[in-house]
Amino acid sequence: MKTKIFKLDAATEIGEVCISVYDATLTVCASDDKELKVVLPDCKNVNVGVGENRLIINQAKRLIPFGKQAITIYIPTHVVPDVKISGNRTAASFSGGIFGELTLIGVCGEISLVNSSFTAVELSSECLRTNLKETTVKKSLNMQVKVGQLVAENSFAYMADCRLKCGNMGLINLSGNDFAFETETGNITLTLSGTENEYNVTVRVKSGTSNKQTAICDGAQKAVKALCENGNVVIDFIGERVEITEAAVATEDTQIDGVQGDVAQEKTL
C-alpha cells in the first residue's frame, strides 16, 4: 500500500494529539530529528490536520474490509503532548517517548507501552489487552475494561486503579505507592518492589485462593488491594531487587474475547 508523510517543523506548537481510528495498527514513537511527522496510507479514508495546537488524525471505516491500515507518528523529544485515542479493532503501541496524559476509549483492541513515560494513563474499553514494559506513569494508571488482560513488567505507577470484569492481571516488579486491582473472573498475580512491611495489604477472594491475607503494618507508606470474585490471588515482595528474569504469571491463555484456563469464560457483551 502506498504511503504519504505529513510533517510539522520544530516551530509548530502541539499540545495534544487526537486520534480516531478503526481497524488500524497505530505506532507512536520518539523521533530521531526535530520534526513531528506522520506516516499514513495514501487513502481517502485517512486524514491529518492541525488546529488550535492539536494534531488531528482521522481514519474512517472502510466500506470494504481489508487488512489493518498502518499509521506511525514520530514525536520529537522537545514535544510532550497529551494523546487521546478513540478506536475500534485497533492495535496501538508507544515506544521510547515522553508524553503527557494518555487517554484511550475503545471497543476492542490492544495497547502496548514500552520504555515510555506518561503523566497519567486512562484506559476504558469493552475488550482490551494491555501490556506495559519498563514504563513510567508519574501520576495515575486507571483501567476500566470488561474483557481483557493486564500484563506489566519492570514498570512504575505512583497510583494504579485497574478493574476487569473478566480477565487476568500479572504485574512483575511493579513500583509505586497506592495500588488497587480487581477482577470478577480471573487471576491476579503481583510482584511488588520493596518489602512486605512497607505495604498495607487488603485481599478479598470470594471463590478461589490467596497466598496473602489482609494486613495493616504500622508505619506503612504504601498500600495494595487485590479483589477477586472468582479466581486466585498471589502477592509477593522482592525487597530491594529490581531485575526480574521470569514473569511467573499465567496470562498467556487469555484471549481478546474471553478468558481461558482456571476460570470460567465470558464473552464480550
Side-chain angles (χ1 to χ4, degrees):
M1 181 180 293
K2 293 183 178 180
T3 62
K4 57 184 178 182
I5 301 177
F6 179 91
K7 292 183 178 181
L8 293 172
D9 59 33
T12 305
E13 294 184 4
I14 294 295
E16 187 175 76
V17 180
C18 297
I19 306 166
S20 177
V21 285
Y22 185 95
D23 197 17
T25 299
L26 176 66
T27 303
V28 185
C29 54
S31 174
D32 294 332
D33 52 37
K34 295 182 179 181
E35 289 183 331
L36 190 157
K37 60 184 178 182
V38 182
V39 179
L40 65 154
D42 189 7
C43 301
K44 293 182 179 180
N45 71 309
V46 186
N47 297 284
V48 181
V50 177
E52 298 181 352
N53 297 329
R54 292 180 179 178
L55 174 66
I56 302 171
I57 301 170
N58 182 65
Q59 179 219 24
K61 182 178 180 180
R62 291 167 289 176
L63 295 178
I64 302 176
F66 294 99
K68 291 184 181 297
Q69 291 179 307
I71 301 172
T72 304
I73 307 170
Y74 296 91
I75 299 180
T77 55
H78 71 276
V79 179
V80 185
D82 295 336
V83 181
K84 296 182 178 180
I85 303 173
S86 173
N88 185 14
R89 297 173 59 184
T90 294
S93 65
F94 289 73
S95 177
I98 301 174
F99 306 93
E101 296 182 0
L102 168 63
T103 304
L104 180 145
I105 299 175
V107 177
C108 182
E110 58 185 281
I111 185 166
S112 175
L113 312 178
V114 179
N115 193 27
S116 303
S117 177
F118 300 87
T119 301
V121 175
E122 184 90 23
L123 308 174
S124 177
S125 179
E126 293 283 323
C127 184
L128 184 69
R129 179 182 290 128
T130 302
N131 291 275
L132 285 76
K133 185 174 182 179
E134 298 178 355
T135 287
T136 295
V137 182
K138 298 176 183 177
K139 293 183 179 179
S140 61
L141 167 64
N142 293 307
M143 180 179 180
Q144 303 289 330
V145 173
K146 286 188 176 181
V147 177
Q149 73 174 25
L150 170 61
V151 177
E153 182 180 357
N154 299 331
S155 294
F156 171 90
Y158 183 81
M159 181 179 70
D161 185 357
C162 301
R163 304 173 189 274
L164 294 174
K165 184 176 178 63
C166 182
N168 297 323
M169 298 183 181
L171 299 102
I172 302 301
N173 195 10
L174 177 67
S175 301
N177 279 52
D178 191 354
F179 304 127
F181 301 102
E182 180 176 359
T183 178
E184 290 188 20
T185 303
N187 302 313
I188 299 174
T189 302
L190 306 176
T191 304
L192 304 176
S193 66
T195 59
E196 189 167 352
N197 60 11
E198 295 179 63
Y199 291 83
N200 288 322
V201 179
T202 301
V203 177
R204 186 185 71 207
V205 177
K206 187 174 181 180
S207 177
T209 63
S210 174
N211 72 326
K212 299 291 183 183
Q213 303 299 320
T214 296
I216 304 301
C217 296
D218 291 339
Q221 300 296 313
K222 302 178 181 180
V224 56
K225 295 179 181 179
L227 311 177
C228 186
E229 292 293 314
N230 180 22
N232 305 314
V233 171
V234 176
I235 303 177
D236 289 313
F237 302 88
I238 61 173
E240 300 300 323
R241 186 161 64 91
V242 296
E243 293 186 0
I244 299 298
T245 57
E246 293 184 1
V249 292
T251 57
E252 293 299 325
D253 290 334
T254 302
Q255 301 298 320
I256 200 66
D257 62 348
V259 176
Q260 297 178 346
D262 297 332
V263 298
Q265 292 188 0
E266 175 170 338
K267 299 297 182 180
T268 306
L269 300 179

